[in-house]
Amino acid sequence: MFRELNPLLHSELRLAVISILIGVESADFVFIRQQTGATAGNLSVQLDKLAKAGYVEIEKTFRGKMPCTVCRITDAGRDAFAEYVTALQSYIRQ
Amino acid sequence: MFRELNPLLHSELRLAVISILIGVESADFVFIRQQTGATAGNLSVQLDKLAKAGYVEIEKTFRGKMPCTVCRITDAGRDAFAEYVTALQSYIRQ
DNA sequence: AAAATTTGGTTTATTTTATAAACTACTTTA
DNA sequence: TAAAGTAGTTTATAAAATAAACCAAATTTT
């Protein structure tokens, strides 16, 4: 009846992050922070969880002299998101 | 960019409960428990939260001699669910 | 050129939430 | 009438989200 909702994606901030990353080649920490309105601490923690799950790749580089954390969604992330959306549909089909 | 997800509905079990109630005139505790697979304790707690939020009405009656907790969604519950679905779309539009 | 401020984060602590375990009250069955 | 089952509630615990505090380097101000 109801499909399970991947708890890693069923979180407002992590879902927003994945939603952003799915539409772009990559996005950096500051951009994601601006788009989501999240605090830096919260974003750092949630990105880490997504990285540990293998849903995003995080590359630490520099933009000029300033550190720049670049994030990309992985294939596993794409798959998980697609499944999450399908699962959601079992709850919201009207 | 991203609409806020009502935290009361952004919970797997509470969402399942609302999803059930939105499709029927009423449903009792045992039925909801069967459909969701939730433990009685968890369901009791989550139904209580939905009731306190004014999203469901809970009527304690008897079926024969056995207690029977009948649940119905309220108008506020319907509205909240509709808004939640709209908000979700800001995350999952592809 | 120090001092203060900003930037780009991470780590740690706190609060909130979800969930399970334990319990209550009553009913049915052996 | 004792044991087991039903229908839940309450309480305790585990997990999660979030904020606050912190750090290092860069930039700006005085």
Side-chain angles (χ1 to χ4, degrees), chain B residues 17-28:
Chain B
V17 168
I18 290 290
S19 177
I20 289 168
L21 293 182
I22 212 145
V24 297
E25 204 269 320
S26 72
D28 66 40

Side-chain angles (χ1 to χ4, degrees), chain A:
Chain A
M1 169 128 194
F2 294 110
R3 312 263 303 250
E4 228 180 284
L5 295 175
N6 182 337
L8 244 129
L9 295 186
H10 197 61
S11 138
E12 186 160 15
L13 181 49
R14 287 195 300 270
L15 189 58
V17 168
I18 290 290
S19 176
I20 288 168
L21 292 182
I22 213 147
V24 296
E25 203 270 321
S26 72
D28 65 38
F29 191 96
V30 173
F31 176 79
I32 296 173
R33 190 154 134 55
Q34 283 167 347
Q35 295 294 307
T36 58
T39 61
N42 195 10
L43 182 54
S44 178
V45 169
Q46 306 309 330
L47 273 175
D48 226 59
K49 286 189 189 179
L50 290 171
K52 269 167 187 151
Y55 293 171
V56 310
E57 267 175 7
I58 293 176
E59 185 193 354
K60 272 149 201 318
T61 61
F62 285 85
R63 186 202 298 280
K65 290 177 177 177
M66 291 304 246
C68 180
T69 298
V70 177
C71 309
R72 284 182 188 75
I73 195 167
T74 64
D75 287 347
R78 258 172 239 284
D79 290 353
F81 182 70
E83 209 177 300
Y84 175 76
V85 172
T86 302
L88 259 188
Q89 258 135 35
S90 70
Y91 296 83
I92 68 174
R93 56 167 174 258
Q94 273 113 328

